[in-house]
Each structure stands twice: as C-alpha cells, then as structure tokens.
Amino acid sequence: MANFIKRKTNWLNTRMGFFLLVVVLFWVKTYIAYQTEFSLGAKGSVQQFLLFINPIPATLLVFGIALYFRGRLAYWLMIIINVLESTWIFANILYYREFSDFLSFGIMKGSSDVGNNLGKSLAQITHVYDFFVYVDIVILIVLLLMHVIRIDPRPFKRRYALSISVLAFGLMFAEFGMANADRSGLLTRTFDNNYIVKYLGLNEYAAFNAYQTQKESATRASANASDMKSVKKYLKQNQVSPNVSYFGKEKGKNVFIIHLESFQQFLLDYKVDGKEVTPTLNKFYHSKNTLSYDNFYNQVAQGKTSDAEMMLENSLFGLPQGSAMTTYGTQNTFQAAPALLSQKAGYTTAAFHGDVPSFWNRDNTYKSWGYQYFFSSSYYTEKSGYSVGYGLKDKIFFKQSAKYIDQLPQPFYAKLITLTNHYPYELDKKNTDFPATKTGDKTVDPYVQTAHYLDQSFAEFMTYLKKAGLYKNSVIVAYGDHYGISNNHRAAIAQLLGKDKVTSFDLAQFQKVPFMIHADGLKGGISHTYGGEIDVLPTLLDLLGVKNTDTVQFGQDLLAKDRNQTVAFRNGNFVSPKYTKLGGTVYDTKTGKALTLTTKQKKVVDQMQNHVTTELSLSDRVIYGDLLRFYTPKGFTKVDKGDFTYKLKPAMAKLAEAQEKEKTSVMSKNGNKNIDYKTDAPELK
Ligand code: GP9
Ligand code: MN
C-alpha cells in the first residue's frame, strides 16, 4: 500500500503529472459550475456529452502554455492561469445570477458598466459558496508549499508541450464538428450565448465574443458623422407623406403587437378536411375594422425572429449574416418604437415572451430599444407539461401574460411573442384536436395543428381583451414573422397549394405573412399594396399621430398613396406589383412567368434593383457603424440602458410604483383585481 501511494505521488511529482492533476480538477470544477450555476438546457445525449467534455480542449490549451516554461515558473504559471480562469467563471456566475446570461466584452467595456447594471451591490448577490471556484487552487498551493507535491526541476521537452497544444486544437475541432452537426449555424447565426457555452464551453465563448466585439468596434471606429449625412439624404429623397385620412386616427390608444410565430399568409382561410385552420384569425382578417394586407412579405434572413423584431420596431433591416440583435443590440444606439412611444406619447412599454431572456440577446437589446419591462421565463409559472420546444405553450403564455397586462399604466405598448407554432411543430395529444395535412412530409404535416392551437390561443386572448375593456381602446397588430415551411419542402408545398410543382416564383410568393391592424372604428379592408416588415413602424406611428419625419426609417407607411412598392428580400431579390426578380431571372408578378426583358423594361428593373441594393446597404451601414449615435431627432433623448431592469423583484416593485402613481392600469380601474382569464388549456385544469 505504502508503495502504491508512493508510486502515485511519484507520478504527481513529474511536471506532466501535476499538469494533468490541475487540468482534471479544473475540468470537474467547471462541470460542477455548469450544472449548479447556469441553466444551459442540455437536452439529449449529444448535448449532455458535449457539455461534459467541453471544458477539456480549452483547458489543455490554455494551461498547456505553462508547459513551455522551465522549472518553478511552469508550476506558478499554472496556478496563475488557474486564478484567471477561475475568476472568469466566478464573474460569470455572479452576472448570470442577475441576468441569466454570460458576460460579454461589450458589456464589460460599455458605458453602462456591469456594476451599474446589476441593480444590487456585488456583495448582495455573492454567496459564500461561490468561492468554491477557488478551492482547487488553494489545495494545489498547499500541496506545493508543504512539499507533498515536489516541483520537478527537469526540463520538459518542447515537443511534448507542442503535442499537448496540437491535441487540444484537434479536440476543439472535433467538438465544434459535433456541436455544429447538432445545431447548425451555431456561430454564424449566433442565437444565444447559452448555446455557445453549452456546446463549446466558457473559454470558447470568451474567444468568440472577443472576436465579435473586436470586429464590431473596428467598424464602429471607422464610421463617422458624415456617413449619417448620406443616409439622411437618401431617406429624404424617399420620404412619402402620410395618408391624411388615417394620420393620427388612433392617437393615444394602447398598442398590442402580437407576434404570430412562423405564421404564413396561406394559412388564412385555409381548410383541412373542410375545416378552417384559423377561424378566429380569419374573422379578424376580414373584419371591417381591420386593415389587412395580402401582399405583405417577411424580409428576414438568418436572424429569423430577431430580424423581424428589428424591422418592425426600428424600420432597419436585419443583417446579411447572423442576428443584428445579438451582435449589435447591446452596444448600438437605437431609436426604436418603445423609446419613441414612451418619450413622445407617454406610453408604458413592455415585451412578453415565454422563453429565456438571453435568446437573440433580447435581455440587452430590449434595453437599448427602451423597453421598460420585459416579462420572460422567470415571470411565468412553469410546471411539467407547460412548455414545448423553446418555451411556454401559447395558451398558458397568454393567460399568464394577462395578469401583467392588467398592471400596465395606460396607454401602453405591449409586444407578445408566441412560440408554439415553431419548427418542429410538436404538440401533445391533449392540445391537438385538428387534423394534420396529408402530404406525407413529417415536418410539414403538423404545421396546421400548431397553427390551429395558436389561433385558439389568440381567440382566448381576444376574449380577455374584450372583458378587460382593452379591445375597444387598443390598436391590435398581428403579424407573422417568417415562413414556417422552408423551401426545402417543395413537393409538400406544391401539395398544400394544390399545384403540380412549385417554381422559384411560387416560393417567393410563399414568403407572404399576415399583417393586420385592428382598432375599433378603424376603416378596414384588405389592401393589395406591396410591402413588408420594414414598413410597419412608419405605418403604426402615422396611425398614432406620432411625428416620424425626422427619424431614421427605411420603410414607408403602408397607407401612404405614393409609396414605393418594391419589397426587398435580404439577399437583394425583390417583389413588386409588376416585376419579381429572383437571382438572374425576372418574372411578371401577375402571371408568374419568366420574362425576356426589352431594353425599356430592363431599365426599369435596373432602377428597382438599384433602389433595393441601396436601401439594404445603407441600413447595414447604420447598424455596422452605429450611426444613430451621431444623430438624435428633435425632442428625443438617447436611451440609457441603465434606466431599466428586467430582474423580477425590482421590476415588479417599479411597476407597482408606476401603477400607484398613475392609476390608469386595468387593475387600478377594476378595484385592484385581475381580470378573470378563461382558457381551456388542459394543463391548467
Ligand atoms: C425563441 C424564438 C424563436 O425565443 O423567438 O426564434 P426563431 O427560431 O423563430 O428565430
Ligand atoms: Mn420566429
């Protein structure tokens, strides 16, 4: 036995032995932190496996640096690296506790510094057991000082050190390959920091974040005020005057933006086995008090929902790659709908979503946009069966949101983002009382079932609005953010549309999504004007009578008479009432036939293309260069992110205070009681 122990400690007395001990301790410690301090949501064996092993490659690489150095120095370097690495974990534990997100370099160097943002003092949120992350270091130091482990003075061969580094890189690539196979677009689409840590690890996250921040600040640094001048010149040339019979018609009303996840236009009035998929939305669409659009296109790219949000609330396009909210949402200056409405018209502003707040970097971006409240996962009661896919099922989400809506001082601007109608359109039996389509494509067929569920949820929410008296004094906007069925399902799409096959032209038309504005007394009807998500903000502001001639918006009011009806897709393709251009082919929009252009026609199409390319690239310049920091519209004050907290307790205290002061919330007017919300959600029975 004594011999055995001796042999063991002998082994630890070599440099390699000590190195491996340090690495294993650090690995275990990181994994414990993953499991106890962060909610990374690893589902399934691949994700669990990646989470377990992901600290290894980076730990080998970073700690391996010490192996290139001699004697004592190598040992102390390992300790120093460990202190730095552990401090990174420590800082993230504290930040995560407050924000359910990881620290980013943008935030660390940002104007609203971390401490400021925390809402509580560091001491208040630090727990004694957080210092556990330093325990292995203390043990290692003691072992060294007590000479239990002796320092190995022999020189370590360079090529061994090098082999460790090479091995680390190799493992990193393998890990990245597995991660990308499980979640494609992990680093290009940049969904959520939690995903990067879950798949790749805290160090890889730090490296990626540093790279992004560096890229972002380089373009920011090279931009200047004169760039803004060319943007403003363009916008001035493209300005249209609002429609006088609509301008200001809905002044002072509450606004609901209801985000219908993955909802396409073709679903409206669509029937399966003779039954309407979305009876309530159909009625809403055809109501004489709803302004509806049947040539309204989604214009998103990789950023999907986040691109839609960016366009809708800023009238700025999403980026050609990745998500603008993720990459630029934290640092950039914005003049978004919530800030404009609260500053110019005294609105209370709130967003509602049944997913974690870090997805699409909403937790930071919404602050930049001036949202006073963001009700996300921690505000909702979660029980088994309440969620599917990304988060809360829509019926439960709407019901639980209502109790917060009741508390908002009026007028308010409330955005509710639904989730259940999201790929892969999964829903339990109890909630599925609608027939699937029968194309035989497993991804496509349940789409109408979750869409039907969304319609039922919408119906329940409308019933609540009527009961609360909100239906009459609110503008209700409902829109689909992007396709639910991707172009990869051509055969199934053809069947759904009752065609033999679909052409590229058909697929472009398939990108239509609903856009509807309902208000009591509003002169409605179905408009055939061509438009898209970029046009929503100016339309809404005009209806509310909020001046927006001096704001930076790339869209045009859908109600304006002389508007430009060329709708840009993010890849530079476009649709218009006359021509549709897809890649090198131009189609007649009326017939869908490919055209051979006359010289005269070509000139017109070239002009349209020029318009599209210019608006996209100027919008990109605004985001890449953070150009809005150089221009503040009259009467607008730059948003200070430090004004907002989305942490449950302080935010609810703020809301209570605001209610007390203004006494205009539904609840204040209802004897401080909530409105009874009716739902048939089986989970709540
Ligand atoms: C996640 C949800 C989905 O919170 O908004 O985003 P998507 O995948 O549609 O972009
Ligand atoms: Mn979406």
Side-chain angles (χ1 to χ4, degrees):
M1 186 66 188
N3 241 343
F4 175 77
I5 293 174
K6 197 149 184 225
R7 239 188 299 134
K8 278 281 165 232
T9 37
N10 264 348
W11 183 73
L12 280 178
N13 288 337
T14 66
R15 182 125 18 138
M16 194 56 170
F18 184 73
F19 172 71
L20 288 177
L21 176 69
V22 174
V23 167
V24 169
L25 287 177
F26 189 80
W27 170 24
V28 171
K29 166 171 97 183
T30 310
Y31 187 68
I32 293 174
Y34 280 173
Q35 293 289 10
T36 56
E37 295 294 344
F38 308 113
S39 23
L40 298 170
K43 286 186 200 125
S45 50
V46 176
Q47 292 183 17
Q48 292 286 3
F49 175 71
L50 283 171
L51 185 72
F52 179 63
I53 56 141
N54 84 30
I56 302 173
T59 308
L60 285 177
L61 186 72
V62 178
F63 286 81
I65 295 172
L67 297 176
Y68 291 92
F69 295 85
R70 293 165 172 278
R72 242 164 224 289
L73 181 58
Y75 282 74
W76 291 114
L77 263 180
M78 282 185 232
I79 300 291
I80 290 167
I81 292 171
N82 204 336
V83 170
L84 295 175
E85 285 275 351
S86 304
T87 303
W88 175 236
I89 299 179
F90 184 79
N92 272 294
I93 288 176
L94 296 194
Y95 189 77
Y96 202 95
R97 190 164 295 150
E98 195 71 5
F99 296 105
S100 321
D101 201 353
F102 293 93
L103 265 170
S104 74
F105 291 97
I107 285 178
M108 287 193 277
K109 75 177 175 87
S111 47
S112 44
D113 63 290
V114 186
N116 223 342
N117 245 325
L118 280 176
K120 278 187 218 147
S121 72
L122 269 178
Q124 273 175 300
I125 61 165
T126 311
H127 301 156
V128 181
Y129 59 75
D130 295 336
F131 293 95
F132 161 82
V133 299
Y134 295 107
V135 157
D136 59 328
I137 303 174
V138 176
I139 295 174
L140 289 168
I141 292 177
V142 170
L143 291 177
L144 284 175
L145 291 181
M146 310 276 291
H147 300 289
V148 181
I149 293 178
R150 272 191 308 271
I151 288 177
D152 180 0
R154 291 169 302 168
F156 193 69
K157 289 210 176 72
R158 274 266 155 137
R159 70 188 145 85
Y160 291 157
L162 198 64
S163 316
I164 300 255
S165 306
V166 172
L167 174 73
F169 273 118
L171 290 175
M172 223 174 254
F173 276 110
E175 173 196 27
F176 183 68
M178 275 183 81
N180 224 42
D182 195 66
R183 193 39 152 145
S184 71
L186 182 64
L187 295 186
T188 46
R189 292 189 57 198
T190 59
F191 315 92
D192 187 336
N193 293 337
N194 279 303
Y195 283 36
I196 302 181
V197 175
K198 170 171 77 178
Y199 281 111
L200 304 179
L202 261 173
N203 278 300
E204 286 82 346
Y205 162 70
F208 181 67
N209 190 272
Y211 163 76
Q212 267 196 327
T213 312
Q214 145 63 24
K215 207 173 70 176
E216 183 197 327
S217 31
T219 40
R220 185 196 304 271
S222 65
N224 58 49
S226 69
D227 294 323
M228 194 60 218
K229 283 211 181 94
S230 37
V231 172
K232 289 202 67 186
K233 197 173 144 210
Y234 164 87
L235 292 176
K236 201 159 187 161
Q237 280 164 0
N238 286 278
Q239 198 154 62
V240 289
S241 30
N243 186 328
V244 283
S245 51
Y246 282 101
F247 188 86
K249 271 278 167 321
E250 305 305 329
K251 201 179 186 115
K253 283 194 183 169
N254 301 314
V255 178
F256 284 101
I257 306 279
I258 306 201
H259 175 109
L260 306 170
E261 180 57 42
S262 305
F263 198 98
Q264 297 185 211
Q265 177 76 10
F266 89 90
L267 286 169
L268 292 178
D269 294 335
Y270 195 80
K271 287 183 180 163
V272 179
D273 297 350
K275 285 192 223 160
E276 290 177 81
V277 181
T278 58
T280 304
L281 284 163
N282 297 348
K283 260 193 223 111
F284 191 80
Y285 177 69
H286 291 289
S287 153
K288 67 174 195 330
N289 294 131
T290 305
L291 269 169
S292 298
Y293 292 84
D294 62 359
N295 288 308
F296 183 91
Y297 294 80
N298 88 75
Q299 299 169 287
V300 311
Q302 285 180 334
K304 302 288 286 294
T305 297
S306 69
D307 284 352
E309 292 185 58
M310 180 61 83
M311 286 186 275
L312 251 90
E313 299 189 283
N314 294 273
S315 203
L316 292 171
F317 287 98
L319 297 176
Q321 253 221 345
S323 157
M325 276 175 58
T326 311
T327 323
Y328 294 90
T330 307
Q331 286 307 302
N332 273 22
T333 303
F334 292 94
Q335 288 138 20
L340 287 168
L341 287 173
S342 80
Q343 289 192 23
K344 294 192 174 198
Y347 276 70
T348 307
T349 56
F352 300 79
H353 187 45
D355 188 10
V356 291
S358 54
F359 204 93
W360 291 134
N361 194 30
R362 288 186 174 103
D363 45 354
N364 293 304
T365 307
Y366 284 179
K367 288 183 181 165
S368 308
W369 292 0
Y371 268 112
Q372 292 155 348
Y373 304 99
F374 177 24
F375 302 94
S376 65
S377 47
S378 63
Y379 290 76
Y380 295 85
T381 310
E382 170 73 71
K383 284 191 184 147
S384 113
Y386 279 20
S387 283
V388 65
Y390 281 111
L392 273 190
K393 294 177 187 165
D394 294 341
K395 282 186 185 171
I396 302 172
F397 164 67
F398 275 123
K399 182 187 157 81
Q400 292 198 34
S401 297
K403 70 167 189 263
Y404 297 116
I405 294 172
D406 287 348
Q407 302 177 49
L408 300 176
Q410 305 188 59
F412 55 73
Y413 171 86
K415 167 163 88 167
L416 293 107
I417 305 177
T418 64
L419 259 183
T420 311
N421 189 41
H422 190 288
Y423 173 84
Y425 314 111
E426 271 172 335
L427 199 54
D428 46 295
K429 275 248 159 53
K430 273 199 206 131
N431 279 298
T432 320
D433 61 352
F434 197 79
T437 52
K438 293 164 194 75
T439 67
D441 186 327
K442 283 206 177 64
T443 320
V444 173
D445 285 337
Y447 178 53
V448 289
Q449 298 180 303
T450 47
H452 181 73
Y453 175 81
L454 172 54
D455 188 71
Q456 293 179 325
S457 324
F458 181 81
E460 292 179 350
F461 188 63
M462 291 301 119
T463 306
Y464 152 75
L465 291 185
K466 285 175 190 160
K467 219 185 217 172
L470 290 167
Y471 197 73
K472 274 207 148 64
N473 68 353
S474 304
V475 177
I476 304 163
V477 178
Y479 83 106
D481 59 342
H482 50 72
Y483 65 80
I485 302 172
S486 82
N487 290 350
N488 300 328
H489 302 274
R490 276 180 178 243
I493 294 173
Q495 283 193 58
L496 291 179
L497 301 180
K499 295 182 174 219
D500 294 338
K501 64 172 185 33
V502 286
T503 62
S504 304
F505 176 82
D506 295 327
L507 292 177
Q509 296 307 318
F510 202 56
Q511 299 312 312
K512 284 184 190 178
V513 289
F515 181 63
M516 314 182 255
I517 309 175
H518 180 280
D520 194 55
L522 180 67
K523 194 170 153 289
I526 299 175
S527 159
H528 309 303
T529 192
Y530 280 68
E533 288 162 331
I534 197 77
D535 301 314
V536 172
L537 183 62
T539 312
L540 186 65
L541 292 177
D542 282 351
L543 272 171
L544 297 173
V546 176
K547 181 174 176 263
N548 60 100
T549 42
D550 57 351
T551 44
V552 175
Q553 298 169 163
F554 283 86
Q556 293 178 334
D557 181 347
L558 289 163
L559 290 156
K561 296 234 160 75
D562 52 347
R563 54 187 305 275
N564 185 329
Q565 296 191 57
T566 313
V567 187
F569 290 127
R570 186 55 256 198
N571 58 6
N573 289 343
F574 60 83
V575 183
S576 79
K578 225 175 156 144
Y579 302 112
T580 296
K581 186 164 183 245
L582 305 170
T585 314
V586 179
Y587 300 83
D588 180 331
T589 305
K590 293 261 136 54
T591 64
K593 295 236 156 63
L595 294 170
T596 324
L597 298 179
T598 64
T599 335
K600 223 169 124 196
Q601 285 175 321
K602 188 169 179 309
K603 215 173 141 199
V604 177
V605 171
D606 285 348
Q607 258 168 18
M608 295 169 100
Q609 181 68 73
N610 190 22
H611 171 80
V612 164
T613 317
T614 311
E615 65 175 339
L616 288 170
S617 68
L618 284 177
S619 171
D620 290 348
R621 253 160 82 183
V622 171
I623 292 184
Y624 290 142
D626 187 14
L627 297 188
L628 293 180
R629 76 195 139 132
F630 298 122
Y631 168 70
T632 312
K634 255 212 198 87
F636 184 83
T637 322
K638 215 175 168 141
V639 173
D640 179 357
K641 296 221 303 291
D643 288 350
F644 313 113
T645 171
Y646 300 151
K647 189 83 185 150
L648 182 66
K649 271 205 185 130
M652 288 314 291
K654 242 182 165 170
L655 185 56
E657 204 180 292
Q659 262 201 101
E660 194 44 49
K661 215 168 102 200
E662 300 179 34
K663 301 213 163 49
T664 52
S665 71
V666 167
M667 230 171 119
S668 309
K669 297 187 167 183
N670 190 44
N672 276 330
K673 282 202 302 280
N674 276 110
I675 303 296
D676 182 35
Y677 191 105
K678 287 263 176 308
T679 171
D680 64 5
E683 300 82 356
L684 302 178
K685 276 189 184 134

